[in-house]
Amino acid sequence: MAAQVDPSAVTILTDGGNGSGVVFDADGLIVTNEHVVRGRTDVEVAFVDGQRVAGTVRATDPVTDIALVQAQRRGLPAARFEPAPPVVGSLAIVIGSPLGFENSVTAGVISGLHREVPGSAAYGQSLVDLIQTDAAISPGNSGGALVNPAGAVTGISLAYIPPQSGAVSIGFAIPAATVLDVVDQLQRTGRATHAFAGLAPAAITQQMVDRLGLPDTNGVITAGVVPGGPAARAGIRAGDIIRSVNGTPVTTPESFQAALRTRQPGESATLGIRGIDGQERNVTITLTDRPAVSG
């Protein structure tokens, strides 16, 4: 598994530290995480054969945390990406440069699919629809390869829950299907499109239940509405509670964002709402393209 992908594994070096990357094509295009290169236009790319070359950040998508780096080197061994989702329980390895240890390999299994990083929505673009693995992911692994038994890249390493949170080997990767879709858009237009509802979802706490007289903590509360956005045009107001999207219950801000991740701009979505007046109703909104965001 490692032998097939290791030649395609690179280290991304910046003035703020290092991350990992994967050779996407023979002409020097590297895929990595947006947060690895955030705020930078120039990086250095280190290859497994010891050569280091200059790299230019070509395009980024903060929503999915994917970035493209153009390395000044040609004739590279491109990795093979597998868009089909992996099987839970199947073997997996992670290749990257944790803590600067270049081209390190860790092993485990696929622990779950369609995962969300808890609490991530509170910090901007939530981390949703991810692959979970117990193959160790550490600082510096970000942007590296999650590899299946056939030696294909099944995901790009993204994040982990630190041990001080009580976690033991809980890491996450962006599915290869998402990577391929976003890379294609970034290559064609320089940006990726994402469905946008025009509202800010927030978790419902027990304090809110007590203060507002809510029946339970199920759903997410609308913390704000973008003026003139899809939600505002549909009559959704701050304080309204979203219970479901297209009939599927939502329980966290991350699950709400995950439901939108499957939709495209221009499509409609039906939200199950408990209004601030206590009335239950369904509201259909027409999603738009998310406004451009910076890292």
Side-chain angles (χ1 to χ4, degrees):
M1 294 167 66
Q4 294 186 64
V5 180
D6 194 55
S8 306
V10 304
T11 301
I12 306 293
L13 302 157
T14 75
D15 55 6
N18 73 275
S20 303
V22 180
V23 175
F24 192 80
D25 68 26
D27 291 330
L29 190 66
I30 309 295
V31 62
T32 185
N33 286 150
E34 183 274 336
H35 75 261
V36 169
V37 299
R38 184 170 297 163
R40 296 169 176 84
T41 56
D42 299 304
V43 299
E44 188 176 24
V45 182
F47 295 88
V48 68
D49 63 2
Q51 186 172 347
R52 296 189 177 192
V53 303
T56 302
V57 178
R58 178 170 162 181
T60 63
D61 180 44
V63 175
T64 54
D65 205 350
I66 292 173
L68 297 180
V69 171
Q70 184 64 56
Q72 300 306 306
R73 187 178 179 184
R74 301 294 184 268
L76 298 175
R80 178 168 59 89
F81 284 74
E82 174 51 67
V87 176
V88 174
S90 61
L91 294 176
I93 64 171
V94 166
I95 302 178
S97 301
L99 302 176
F101 293 99
E102 296 183 6
N103 300 95
S104 295
V105 178
T106 56
V109 299
I110 300 298
S111 305
L113 304 176
H114 308 296
R115 299 300 202 205
E116 305 140 15
V117 177
S120 61
Y123 300 96
Q125 308 305 319
S126 57
L127 306 179
V128 300
D129 196 23
L130 303 174
I131 298 170
Q132 180 188 338
T133 181
D134 69 346
I137 294 176
S138 302
N141 272 124
S142 294
L146 176 68
V147 183
N148 68 14
V153 176
T154 194
I156 293 295
S157 300
L158 176 66
Y160 67 99
I161 297 179
Q164 55 264 37
S165 298
V168 177
S169 297
I170 300 179
F172 301 95
I174 306 165
T178 300
V179 175
L180 292 171
D181 175 54
V182 172
V183 168
D184 177 64
Q185 293 186 64
L186 292 178
Q187 286 183 293
R188 287 187 291 105
T189 67
R191 65 182 299 268
T193 61
H194 301 283
F196 180 63
L199 60 84
I204 300 174
T205 65
Q206 187 59 49
Q207 289 81 0
M208 290 181 183
V209 170
D210 297 338
R211 187 174 69 252
L212 302 176
L214 303 177
D216 49 50
T217 59
N218 293 331
V220 295
I221 192 165
T222 303
V225 176
V226 176
R233 290 196 298 270
I236 296 174
R237 298 174 293 174
D240 286 347
I241 293 172
I242 302 170
R243 298 283 200 178
S244 63
V245 176
N246 293 329
T248 300
V250 295
T251 56
T252 64
E254 292 77 27
S255 65
F256 174 76
Q257 299 288 7
L260 293 188
R261 183 65 60 84
T262 64
R263 316 299 293 178
Q264 296 296 323
E267 295 182 350
S268 62
T270 300
L271 309 184
I273 301 288
R274 183 184 190 274
I276 56 178
D277 57 4
Q279 299 298 308
E280 304 273 352
R281 67 186 190 279
N282 289 325
V283 176
T284 299
I285 65 174
T286 300
L287 301 167
T288 62
D289 186 12
R290 178 183 290 276
V293 294
S294 63

